[in-house]
Amino acid sequence: MDIEASLPSLHSPSYYTEPSLDELAKIEAIDSGYCSRVPNFVVGKVGYGCVKFLSNTDIRWINLDKIVKFDHNSVTVYVDEADKPPVGHGLNKAAEVTLILRLRSKSSDYLESNRLLNKLGRICLKQGAKFVSFEPSNGEWKFMVEHFSRFGLDDDEEEDVVMDDAAVQPSSEVKDSQLSSNGLELSRSLPAHLGLDPAKVQEMRMLLFPGEDDNDDDTEQNLFPDKRFTSREAMKVDSPITRKFHNKATPIPKRAPQALLEYHTSSSELSPLNNILLSGQSKGLAAKRAKIEGFKLEGKYSSPVGVKYSNCVVDAALFMGRSFRVGWGPNGVLVHSGSPVRNPNSGLSSIVNVEKVAVDRAVRDEKNKFREDLVDLCFSSPLFLHKSLDREYNEIEADSFGLKLQKVVTNRSMLLEICRAYIEIIEKQLEVDELSTSYRVLLMHQVTVWELIKVLFSERGRNGNGPLNITYNEDGEDMMLDKKDSSSDIDFESYPLVRRADFSYWLQESVCHKIQGDISCLNESNYLENILLLLTGRQLDEAVEMASSKGDVRLAILLSQAGGSMINRADVAQQLDLWRTNGLDFSFIEKERLKLYELLAGNIQIAAQDHSIDWKRYLGLLMWYHLPPDTSLSVIIHTYQQLVSERKVPYPVPVYIDEGPLDEAPEWNSGDRFDILYYLMLLHANGEENSSSSLLKTLFSAYSSSYDPLDYHMIWHQRSILEAIGAFSSSDLHVLDMSFVYQLLCVGQCHWAIYVVLHMPYLEDFPCIQANIIKEILLQYCESWSREEKQRQFIEELGVPTAWMHEALAIYFQYYGDQSKALEHFIESANWQKAHSIFVTSAAPPLFLALKHSEIWRITSSMEEHKSEIADWDVGAGIYIDFYILRSSFQEENAMSDLGKLESKNEVCKNFFSRLNDSLLVWGSRLTVEARAAYSKMAEELCALLMSTSGEKSTPEVQMSSFDTMLTAPIPEEHRAGYLQEAVSVFTYLLTEPAS
């Protein structure tokens, strides 16, 4: 065997071993197998310490550079937990650790030494080690460990015991100039901390900032005018002068890598905002601790991205370089630089913000408590309703598997029942106690949205047996009558009028609560203002009754005709014009009464003056009192759209702005975004052909219906139903699909997330996008869906190939080190190459050594049918099959014809041993110690069978040939030596036989 190949590897120049690698090679050449039982083996790093492994240690084929890592005041053996062997194997065993600590003071003070001894003893006890000794004179700290992870000092412990390297070996120049002319301790300043000459840094400052005051005392303060600028921030300032100075300065001792960031969490655990501040506190220096808040500057100040940057002001992102801008952490943690999400445009800042993004706000109550019942009502119930609808399938091919894409198909006559079913689900959510007020507002708004969808897009304007029936008078005015059953069909030509009347009723209902709220705030004595408010919601009956109760009969008669024929409006307008022409003094008429007359005349802008009404009521004024009563709904909506673009009417603001102000409502600028109700109206008015992509994207944006930008749980359903009835057609809404998928994944609904993915439209340019997303979901959220049988069964019912599920489970178990389960799932997923690799390197060896040969035979038999798809089969799993066949043939009395003679058996064994050696070369380091032991056991068994056969009625020449074959087998050296001795005996016999 090659001695060099079996030795441990170590290439780091500062590391050493005892015995050295050269000594190990010499001893191994003399005493074969010495490296498998090295007593008291030592690995160390000069100036850091060493580890002595007690008793005999097997160090063959060990990469010491990868396994043993010395850091300042700590040592780690097996940095990667996945590579760590069981306790007692490899280097994960009992050892004596010696660490050289960098002490603050090496004085022989008894109290200080006793304090250090007690502290180091407590550290050993906390880490599960046994304290041995501590020598203050040289800083040697010894302790015993039973097995390995990381042992040593943490950062907080290090500050109390040790000091930084820069202070351990200061240059002579630093020592000579530790005090400035005014007595300031420059050894505690930034230049000294960096191992630089403070005097030369002062000269450099004069060159960098010639315009500043030369008499400043603090060098660090002069270099960086803002006192909150920290030392590690200063390290980023770079210029040709600083580079030149670094080259000429005394060599800087190597420093241990330290974190640039210190995490400072808010005092309140419920606060969504935590900050990471760039720390200027020097680890290990005896400096006075101060609260670090970072600097903040308004955006008007100069920066390196502006025109002038002589002050070198940087924000956090520029400080940390292009490698950091923003990043997502687990559970919705957003790490970003600069301005917080809740306070945009706040200028430059050194603060890195860590903010918790609430990805599951829709399922939390007002106490921020996660509610399982809300998960069912928000996600499961609507999706089950969606799943119950008729659909069509489009089967596509993905990775040689068939995948069925789905699409809901329905008609406008079914829309009434569908909308009613969604409304019932939302009403059940409203029955949940402890919901926040703002969330209840959004839920009631969703009811209004579904009601509007029913009005605008159903085949008939409203249900025939609804609460009200609509008839029309000779002038075309829509009048509301009492409820009665109407089973007769509506004439097709009257559909637009029915829809307009239904929209009018919906508009009245949606603003009724606002009118009642405004009236409750007014003085009851001013009945005219109350009547005006009632008319903004077209509550004509209440307005007429109020006027009659006050004895204003004439006004009541006029109000009964409000919004009627255009003749009545023209008469009122003509009367007002006559009064103006004849010089009537309007001061004798109440201001509110004049506004009522203007409203009856159709002058809604004059009537709405001095009144703050919402956009829906203004749309109602336009529809009821300004435009002719036979105006189509599309014309009404387009007229309002034109007025919005001209900024003559209230903006159709989202509900969380309109019904607010709410605590959760984000900032809103004029024209920024509008309410989903307004977009639905535009969608109806424009028709399917004229619906632009930009309109659809804004319509189905989260901000159009919710203050939560991550909440898409109801918007997705609205899009799906509208598209199913043919209201629009679009394949450019993948952001909506993926946002809803992410929301479902965050609440653990992986099966529903895959259901949504299957409803994404098929794209010719990206034919495999659904398959790729499903695979990613199965892989990333394997732990979630695999533990719930209902989710697994649901995913299978969706037609997702089970091979994808098994492959995800295989990768999951392989990641967590369960190789046997990973092997089974790779076999189930028909990933024969992966299964073969795991079988050879991890699964088969322990089974073989545990004598579980039937299990090995079962696994290899299942893979043998696909061996043509597996690379290196003959030097992998094929070895185990051939071994069993070969061993069985040796043990049987009537062997196969080609193995009947010793020469044939010898040749077969020789070929098999050659394959074993080839397998060791092919798989190399991927083979574990157990795998190599399994190969050796195979070779030993065959050698034993070959020897027993060769000893019966065989010539010495044949026996020598058998020994030659056995010496090529990968067997332990002691066995090889035994075969060699027997071969020498036979050879001696051959030499002496002729003489005798």
Side-chain angles (χ1 to χ4, degrees):
M1 181 180 294
D2 188 3
I3 295 177
E4 294 293 332
S6 64
L7 291 176
S9 60
L10 181 63
H11 303 287
S12 300
S14 58
Y15 283 73
Y16 64 92
T17 63
E18 293 178 1
S20 65
L21 297 183
D22 293 336
E23 293 173 348
L24 287 172
K26 294 177 182 178
I27 300 174
E28 181 69 19
I30 299 172
D31 184 7
S32 179
Y34 176 81
C35 290
S36 65
R37 55 180 188 280
V38 179
N40 298 327
F41 180 69
V42 176
V43 181
K45 184 178 181 181
V46 178
Y48 288 78
C50 64
V51 178
K52 181 170 70 173
F53 298 93
L54 306 179
S55 70
N56 294 341
T57 304
D58 187 355
I59 60 173
R60 292 175 297 175
W61 306 293
I62 288 183
N63 186 347
L64 295 173
D65 297 285
K66 180 180 179 182
I67 296 177
V68 182
K69 297 289 184 182
F70 280 89
D71 204 342
H72 285 265
N73 313 310
S74 68
V75 61
T76 305
V77 180
Y78 294 106
V79 180
D80 189 353
E81 290 290 328
D83 297 333
K84 184 186 294 186
V87 176
H89 294 76
L91 300 185
N92 190 22
K93 57 183 298 185
E96 181 187 79
V97 180
T98 301
L99 293 178
I100 301 177
L101 305 182
R102 310 285 190 179
L103 300 179
R104 295 182 182 278
S105 173
K106 296 185 179 180
S107 63
S108 58
D109 182 72
Y110 173 79
L111 293 178
E112 179 66 14
S113 299
N114 191 46
R115 186 188 71 84
L116 290 178
L117 283 172
N118 293 333
K119 184 169 185 63
L120 293 177
R122 290 194 300 270
I123 294 173
C124 289
L125 184 62
K126 182 177 69 174
Q127 297 182 357
K130 181 180 179 182
F131 180 84
V132 175
S133 65
F134 173 69
E135 182 56 50
S137 61
N138 56 13
E140 283 192 0
W141 173 30
K142 291 185 179 182
F143 52 92
M144 303 287 292
V145 299
E146 294 297 329
H147 57 85
F148 266 97
S149 57
R150 179 188 182 278
F151 292 91
L153 300 181
D154 296 328
D155 289 346
D156 295 336
E157 298 164 346
E158 194 173 294
E159 289 182 1
D160 295 336
V161 178
V162 300
M163 68 193 308
D164 283 318
D165 287 349
V168 176
Q169 296 175 344
S171 63
S172 58
E173 295 180 3
V174 174
K175 291 181 179 179
D176 294 339
S177 55
Q178 284 189 350
L179 297 176
S180 61
S181 57
N182 58 3
L184 178 67
E185 290 190 24
L186 292 181
S187 60
R188 299 293 175 87
S189 66
L190 170 66
H193 175 68
L194 300 179
L196 305 177
D197 185 351
K200 291 188 176 181
V201 173
Q202 181 77 3
E203 297 174 3
M204 180 182 69
R205 182 195 66 80
M206 298 294 294
L207 294 175
L208 286 173
F209 310 104
E212 295 185 1
D213 188 6
D214 296 337
N215 297 324
D216 291 339
D217 295 332
D218 195 338
T219 303
E220 181 175 351
Q221 180 178 349
N222 292 338
L223 260 176
F224 303 98
D226 195 320
K227 291 185 179 181
R228 288 171 292 179
F229 225 96
T230 62
S231 62
R232 290 189 176 94
E233 291 173 54
M235 292 171 66
K236 290 293 181 179
V237 178
D238 193 13
S239 67
I241 299 176
T242 60
R243 288 192 292 269
K244 180 178 179 181
F245 177 76
H246 276 291
N247 294 335
K248 291 186 176 181
T250 56
I252 303 174
K254 290 186 177 180
R255 298 173 45 78
Q258 296 181 359
L260 283 173
L261 303 177
E262 285 187 359
Y263 293 79
H264 298 267
T265 58
S266 173
S267 58
S268 174
E269 294 182 356
L270 299 177
S271 175
L273 179 62
N274 295 328
N275 292 332
I276 302 177
L277 302 183
L278 303 178
S279 172
Q281 300 173 1
S282 303
K283 299 291 184 182
L285 284 178
K288 182 179 180 180
R289 292 183 175 271
K291 184 179 180 181
I292 306 298
E293 297 181 352
F295 68 84
K296 297 180 180 178
L297 293 176
E298 297 179 4
K300 64 182 180 180
Y301 288 93
S302 59
S303 70
V305 296
V307 179
K308 298 180 180 179
Y309 49 91
S310 59
N311 290 332
C312 292
V313 176
V314 298
D315 67 357
L318 288 173
F319 175 84
M320 286 179 281
R322 295 182 179 180
S323 62
F324 179 84
R325 286 296 181 270
V326 65
W328 283 99
N331 301 321
V333 175
L334 178 64
V335 183
H336 64 95
S337 58
S339 304
V341 173
R342 294 176 178 265
N343 186 22
N345 304 321
S346 61
L348 301 175
S349 173
S350 68
I351 296 176
V352 176
N353 297 289
V354 179
E355 298 184 86
K356 175 71 173 180
V357 179
V359 293
D360 56 357
R361 296 178 65 179
V363 293
R364 292 184 178 272
D365 57 18
E366 61 181 350
K367 297 179 180 179
N368 201 32
K369 181 180 179 181
F370 186 87
R371 301 285 295 268
E372 291 289 346
D373 51 349
L374 285 179
V375 173
D376 179 67
L377 291 172
C378 287
F379 300 105
S380 298
S381 296
L383 285 167
F384 271 121
L385 172 60
H386 186 273
K387 190 174 184 293
S388 66
L389 302 176
D390 295 333
R391 62 196 61 244
E392 62 183 17
Y393 297 91
N394 176 25
E395 187 166 353
I396 62 174
E397 185 176 351
D399 293 347
S400 70
F401 295 101
L403 191 66
K404 288 185 178 180
L405 302 185
Q406 305 181 23
K407 181 180 180 181
V408 170
V409 289
T410 186
N411 52 59
R412 293 176 183 257
S413 62
M414 292 291 298
L415 185 60
L416 299 173
E417 297 298 330
I418 294 173
C419 292
R420 186 178 294 113
Y422 277 111
I423 291 173
E424 289 177 357
I425 294 174
I426 298 174
E427 289 174 346
K428 290 181 181 178
Q429 294 184 54
L430 287 168
E431 296 174 1
V432 177
D433 56 348
E434 296 183 345
L435 290 181
S436 63
T437 304
S438 57
Y439 190 57
R440 291 186 181 275
V441 170
L442 296 183
L443 290 177
M444 291 185 288
H445 181 255
Q446 288 298 333
V447 174
T448 307
V449 171
W450 282 111
E451 291 284 359
L452 180 61
I453 291 175
K454 180 173 64 174
V455 167
L456 294 178
F457 300 100
S458 61
E459 185 174 335
R460 294 177 57 179
R462 55 190 312 282
N463 199 0
N465 58 355
L468 293 171
N469 274 309
I470 311 299
T471 59
Y472 300 89
N473 60 14
E474 58 184 4
D475 297 317
E477 178 192 357
D478 50 315
M479 302 292 292
M480 295 182 295
L481 304 179
D482 293 334
K483 177 180 178 181
K484 64 180 180 180
D485 188 18
S486 176
S487 58
S488 60
D489 293 333
I490 299 177
D491 183 48
F492 180 76
E493 295 181 355
S494 64
Y495 275 175
L497 297 177
V498 173
R499 196 181 305 277
R500 182 188 188 279
D502 231 9
F503 180 79
S504 174
Y505 177 74
W506 170 85
L507 201 56
Q508 295 174 54
E509 290 294 317
S510 63
V511 300
C512 181
H513 67 285
K514 284 198 168 186
I515 293 174
Q516 297 301 325
D518 291 345
I519 290 178
S520 63
C521 299
L522 296 178
N523 188 354
E524 294 183 0
S525 61
N526 191 355
Y527 74 95
L528 293 176
E529 189 172 0
N530 289 340
I531 290 175
L532 184 60
L533 284 176
L534 290 173
L535 291 181
T536 60
R538 204 174 185 238
Q539 299 184 20
L540 299 182
D541 292 344
E542 291 81 356
V544 171
E545 183 179 352
M546 182 175 291
S548 300
S549 64
K550 298 297 183 180
D552 202 338
V553 179
R554 293 183 179 181
L555 178 61
I557 295 174
L558 291 175
L559 293 177
S560 65
Q561 304 178 51
S565 65
M566 297 301 295
I567 297 175
N568 293 339
R569 300 185 198 180
D571 289 344
V572 177
Q574 185 179 4
Q575 183 63 56
L576 291 174
D577 291 338
L578 286 175
W579 286 348
R580 294 188 183 94
T581 302
N582 295 330
L584 178 66
D585 188 358
F586 286 98
S587 61
F588 292 96
I589 304 178
E590 299 97 323
K591 183 178 179 181
E592 287 76 11
R593 188 179 297 273
L594 284 175
K595 287 185 178 181
L596 287 173
Y597 291 158
E598 294 287 354
L599 183 61
L600 295 175
N603 301 324
I604 59 175
Q605 290 186 346
I606 298 176
Q609 285 180 351
D610 304 327
H611 284 82
S612 177
I613 61 176
D614 61 282
W615 70 275
K616 283 181 285 187
R617 279 191 279 178
Y618 202 99
L619 175 62
L621 295 179
L622 183 68
M623 176 182 179
W624 297 319
Y625 308 110
H626 181 71
L627 296 175
D630 58 349
T631 305
S632 67
L633 187 56
S634 298
V635 174
I636 295 172
I637 296 172
H638 283 142
T639 302
Y640 181 75
Q641 181 187 20
Q642 180 64 29
L643 294 174
V644 169
S645 63
E646 296 174 358
R647 300 186 178 183
K648 295 181 179 180
V649 295
Y651 282 110
V653 295
V655 62
Y656 49 86
I657 303 296
D658 190 25
E659 301 282 347
L662 304 176
D663 294 337
E664 296 88 347
E667 294 185 0
W668 183 86
N669 299 319
S670 298
D672 201 6
R673 49 187 172 269
F674 300 137
D675 194 274
I676 188 174
L677 298 172
Y678 175 67
Y679 291 125
L680 288 171
M681 297 175 192
L682 293 181
L683 180 63
H684 168 74
N686 295 338
E688 179 183 356
E689 295 78 10
N690 299 322
S691 298
S692 63
S693 176
S694 59
L695 172 62
L696 295 176
K697 289 181 179 180
T698 51
L699 166 61
F700 299 113
S701 168
Y703 272 135
S704 66
S705 60
S706 171
Y707 53 79
D708 185 359
L710 300 178
D711 185 13
Y712 287 84
H713 80 274
M714 195 55 70
I715 306 174
W716 185 84
H717 291 275
Q718 293 158 0
R719 169 270 185 104
S720 179
I721 299 302
L722 289 173
E723 194 170 19
I725 63 174
F728 70 93
S729 179
S730 175
S731 59
D732 194 24
L733 295 174
H734 284 85
V735 173
L736 169 60
D737 293 319
M738 293 307 301
S739 299
F740 188 41
V741 167
Y742 177 71
Q743 189 177 9
L744 288 167
L745 292 174
C746 289
V747 294
Q749 304 294 306
C750 302
H751 57 309
W752 285 122
I754 294 175
Y755 175 82
V756 172
V757 172
L758 291 175
H759 285 77
M760 293 172 60
Y762 178 77
L763 297 178
E764 293 290 345
D765 296 337
F766 304 97
C768 298
I769 185 172
Q770 290 88 354
N772 293 336
I773 295 173
I774 291 174
K775 288 181 180 179
E776 287 295 325
I777 292 175
L778 292 175
L779 181 59
Q780 294 187 26
Y781 297 88
C782 181
E783 187 173 5
S784 178
W785 62 262
S786 64
R787 292 183 177 181
E788 297 188 22
E789 184 61 30
K790 290 183 179 180
Q791 288 202 22
R792 293 189 62 170
Q793 185 177 357
F794 188 92
I795 295 172
E796 292 178 4
E797 292 174 355
L798 291 176
V800 176
T802 56
W804 296 357
M805 302 172 65
H806 285 294
E807 185 174 12
L809 287 169
I811 296 174
Y812 170 80
F813 285 117
Q814 187 181 23
Y815 177 79
Y816 283 101
D818 194 338
Q819 302 297 340
S820 59
K821 289 186 178 180
L823 172 62
E824 292 295 336
H825 286 292
F826 273 129
I827 292 176
E828 292 293 336
S829 65
N831 192 334
W832 306 110
Q833 189 61 46
K834 280 280 188 180
H836 179 254
S837 177
I838 292 179
F839 174 80
V840 174
T841 58
S842 303
L847 292 175
F848 187 88
L849 296 177
L851 304 180
K852 296 181 179 180
H853 302 301
S854 59
E855 182 68 12
I856 295 178
W857 185 263
R858 181 188 66 83
I859 297 173
T860 53
S861 299
S862 64
M863 292 191 294
E864 188 178 16
E865 299 176 1
H866 306 274
K867 64 181 181 180
S868 60
E869 306 173 31
I870 301 175
D872 301 323
W873 169 264
D874 291 336
V875 292
I879 286 178
Y880 289 88
I881 293 179
D882 292 345
F883 168 75
Y884 292 132
I885 295 174
L886 190 58
R887 186 180 66 175
S888 177
S889 65
F890 270 50
Q891 292 174 345
E892 291 178 358
E893 295 181 359
N894 299 321
M896 296 176 59
S897 59
D898 59 335
L899 295 178
K901 297 181 180 180
L902 179 59
E903 293 84 351
S904 300
K905 295 180 179 180
N906 186 40
E907 187 63 27
V908 172
C909 288
K910 188 173 184 179
N911 293 335
F912 185 78
F913 295 156
S914 177
R915 286 172 59 191
L916 287 179
N917 291 322
D918 291 342
S919 179
L920 291 171
L921 293 176
V922 169
W923 296 99
S925 60
R926 287 179 290 176
L927 288 178
T928 62
V929 175
E930 288 181 318
R932 297 176 183 273
Y935 281 7
S936 296
K937 188 173 180 61
M938 288 184 192
E940 290 174 21
E941 288 192 31
L942 292 181
C943 287
L945 290 172
L946 187 59
M947 282 191 65
S948 63
T949 304
S950 63
E952 300 175 359
K953 300 178 182 180
S954 61
T955 63
E957 291 81 2
V958 175
Q959 292 182 8
M960 286 300 298
S961 177
S962 299
F963 284 125
D964 183 55
T965 299
M966 289 185 286
L967 290 176
T968 62
I971 54 179
E973 292 300 324
E974 55 269 20
H975 290 185
R976 192 188 309 276
Y979 294 145
L980 186 59
Q981 290 178 0
E982 293 186 17
V984 170
S985 300
V986 174
F987 183 71
T988 305
Y989 172 76
L990 289 176
L991 292 178
T992 58
E993 186 179 16
S996 62

